[in-house]
């Protein structure tokens, strides 16, 4: 008789004791993310059927046209996080500034803040390519009982207490860490239950897949050009394979399972890089390191970068440890290309 798959609920209860200081709030926070992900998944999966597709005409602080599902996903996470009375503040790619959970909503007494990209890769929605939700959780540093402050959000990635993503793909998965390894749960949409399908996920230390938008090649820093040449030359187990979905969560997820590196470098179009430090790179870097991988801006460990502002961009190299280290070897030849 095959062993019954463990549910996410059972897993959270079993690992409750691992959450430093938490009297169950972190478990309740993860449970609220579980619910929000189910609601977003329901909409994403039927996006083609209802008039929720296509740009809503509203642009967010990123200057990007927001897809309606972006707004929907952001609303779902905001509403659930407020209602569950667990966090004192929320920062989102879709919100210009962080959102203070008011005292009447019990926000001031709560100890955690969450930062999220509620629907990353949303430009892929209309072409039926996987998209994802990314989240990052910290304990607040400002005094409990007062309104949340920007200091609570501008913490280094090493201070995260939990981080993860939901990938709305051929199946829907929740992958997260609380600092004790990475575990993946697959949703059974018929029952609305998540099952532990990928226990203790780890990056293979080497790999043969590189993920980068080579359309920007002419604008890449020389170190990236040199690394791409290394990936493409006939030598040993090279040339590698190029796989780029255009959805960070999907490329990261595939690379974690098969081995690989994802790179979003600076270019003339995005001189600081495109990806956001706080709610894309930090959570994905926490996961990467917990899975035995590595994450840097080409020069420095992402998790030790001191954030300066909420929507700060940063170049991003993440994946199998040996591949990231090889890329950093090439970047090290051009120290002037470091963005900070
Ligand atoms: P480009 C999606 O917008 C995203 O933030 C990541 O999910 C993805 O890897 C990247 O940007 C794609 O950017 O410039 O290659 O289209």
């Amino acid at each position: 008789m095959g062993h019954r798959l463990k549910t996410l609920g059972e897993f959270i209860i079993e690992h409750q004791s691992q959450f430093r200081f938490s009297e169950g709030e972190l478990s309740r926070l993860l449970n609220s993310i579980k619910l929000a992900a189910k609601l977003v998944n329901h909409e994403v999966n039927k996006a083609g059927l209802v008039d929720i597709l296509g740009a809503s005409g509203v642009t967010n602080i990123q200057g990007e046209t927001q897809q309606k599902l972006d707004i929907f996903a952001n609303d779902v996470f905001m509403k659930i996080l407020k209602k569950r009375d667990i966090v004192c503040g929320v920062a989102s790619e879709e919100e210009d500034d962080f959102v203070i959970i008011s005292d009447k909503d019990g926000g001031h007494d709560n100890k955690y803040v969450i930062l999220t990209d509620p629907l990353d890769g949303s430009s892929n929605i209309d072409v039926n390519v996987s998209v994802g939700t990314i989240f990052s959780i910290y304990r607040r540093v400002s005094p409990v009982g007062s309104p949340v402050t920007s200091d609570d959000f501008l913490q280094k990635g090493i201070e995260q207490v939990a981080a993860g993503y939901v990938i709305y793909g051929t199946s829907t998965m929740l992958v997260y860490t609380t600092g004790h390894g990475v575990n993946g749960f697959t949703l059974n949409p018929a029952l609305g239950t998540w099952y532990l399908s990928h226990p203790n996920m780890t990056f293979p230390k080497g790999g043969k897949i590189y993920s980068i938008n080579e359309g920007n090649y002419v604008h890449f820093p020389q170190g990236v050009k040199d690394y791409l040449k290394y990936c493409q030359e006939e030598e040993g187990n090279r040339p590698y394979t190029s796989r780029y979905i255009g959805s960070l969560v999907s490329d990261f997820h595939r690379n974690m399972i098969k081995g690989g590196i994802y790179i979003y470098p600076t270019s003339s179009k995005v001189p600081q890089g495109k990806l956001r430090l706080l709610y894309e790179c930090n959570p994905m870097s926490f996961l990467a390191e917990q899975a035995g991988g590595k994450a840097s801006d080409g020069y420095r460990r992402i998790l030790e970068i001191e954030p300066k502002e909420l929507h700060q961009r940063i170049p991003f190299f993440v994946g199998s440890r040996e591949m990231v280290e090889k890329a950093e070897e090439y970047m090290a030849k051009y120290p002037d290309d470091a963005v900070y």
Side-chain angles (χ1 to χ4, degrees):
M1 166 74 167
H3 69 283
R4 185 179 65 83
L5 276 176
K6 189 173 294 180
T7 67
L8 174 54
E10 289 163 341
F11 185 88
I12 290 175
I13 290 166
E14 254 176 49
H15 293 77
Q16 167 74 47
S17 57
Q18 286 176 350
F19 304 150
R20 289 180 297 147
F21 331 106
S22 167
E23 296 84 46
E25 284 133 310
L26 200 48
S27 304
R28 282 176 33 231
L29 184 41
L30 290 169
N31 279 314
S32 55
I33 290 167
K34 206 170 96 174
L35 172 61
K38 257 193 272 189
L39 296 175
V40 172
N41 176 62
H42 183 67
E43 286 307 306
V44 166
N45 280 353
K46 67 176 190 180
L49 302 176
V50 295
D51 174 36
I52 196 164
L53 281 180
S56 59
V58 173
T59 59
N60 59 15
I61 189 169
Q62 331 297 340
E64 294 157 353
T65 306
Q66 279 186 303
Q67 306 282 342
K68 282 183 182 172
L69 269 176
D70 271 357
I71 300 171
F72 174 82
N74 191 53
D75 290 351
V76 165
F77 276 90
M78 282 295 168
K79 277 198 190 78
I80 287 186
L81 289 167
K82 275 185 184 164
K83 220 166 58 211
R84 287 291 182 91
D85 184 15
I86 308 161
V87 294
C88 51
V90 184
S92 165
E93 176 164 67
E94 307 303 341
E95 303 282 346
D96 295 355
D97 203 348
F98 61 84
V99 174
I100 298 173
I101 308 296
S102 70
D103 200 21
K104 72 172 174 44
D105 288 334
H108 295 186
D109 296 334
N110 292 334
K111 301 194 196 82
Y112 292 94
V113 294
I114 184 166
L115 300 94
T116 179
D117 183 357
L119 209 62
D120 178 71
S122 55
S123 53
N124 292 310
I125 294 164
D126 290 350
V127 295
N128 211 4
V129 165
S130 302
V131 289
T133 295
I134 307 171
F135 62 90
S136 168
I137 298 169
Y138 292 85
R139 286 180 61 80
R140 69 185 300 176
V141 292
S142 59
V144 174
S146 61
V148 74
T149 68
S150 59
D151 293 345
D152 295 310
F153 295 96
L154 298 178
Q155 299 186 55
K156 286 184 183 180
I158 44 175
E159 300 300 334
Q160 290 174 97
V161 294
Y165 58 81
V166 184
I167 177 168
Y168 309 98
T170 41
S171 62
T172 296
M173 282 190 68
L174 170 60
V175 176
Y176 79 91
T177 181
T178 57
H180 302 276
V182 176
N183 290 285
F185 299 81
T186 300
L187 176 66
N188 174 342
L191 302 177
T193 314
W194 303 82
Y195 290 96
L196 177 61
S197 52
H198 297 65
N200 196 23
M201 297 182 82
T202 48
F203 262 103
K205 64 182 190 325
K208 293 185 61 178
I209 295 172
Y210 65 94
S211 308
I212 188 169
N213 185 342
E214 296 188 64
N216 300 323
Y217 181 85
V218 293
H219 305 298
F220 286 155
Q222 190 56 44
V224 171
K225 291 180 178 175
D226 293 355
Y227 178 64
L228 288 180
K229 185 170 164 300
Y230 168 84
C231 293
Q232 292 161 357
E233 66 193 3
E234 292 276 355
E235 175 78 34
N237 66 350
R238 286 171 284 133
Y240 293 157
T241 297
S242 172
R243 284 281 182 280
Y244 191 67
I245 299 172
S247 175
L248 167 62
V249 169
S250 305
D251 282 314
F252 180 98
H253 188 75
R254 183 210 47 249
N255 290 349
M256 181 155 66
I257 291 170
K258 293 184 174 245
I261 183 172
Y262 170 98
I263 302 177
Y264 206 105
T266 59
S267 73
S268 58
K269 281 189 291 185
V270 283
Q272 301 299 315
K274 175 183 184 186
L275 298 185
R276 309 295 179 171
L277 172 60
L278 290 183
Y279 42 79
E280 290 175 328
C281 300
N282 270 337
M284 300 311 272
S285 301
F286 187 19
L287 287 164
E289 292 196 2
Q290 284 289 313
K294 191 170 187 190
S296 81
D297 66 355
Y299 299 93
R300 294 168 307 161
R301 185 184 177 206
I302 291 286
L303 295 183
E304 286 175 0
I305 293 176
E306 186 73 47
K308 292 181 177 58
E309 60 96 21
L310 211 51
H311 300 288
Q312 170 176 354
R313 297 175 191 268
I314 191 94
F316 195 35
F317 296 63
V318 65
S320 295
R321 174 165 293 282
E322 289 174 356
M323 297 184 85
V324 174
E325 284 167 351
K326 177 57 79 175
E328 288 172 333
E329 262 177 50
Y330 286 103
M331 297 305 283
K333 294 180 183 151
Y334 309 93
D336 298 346
D337 285 341
V339 290
Y340 291 96

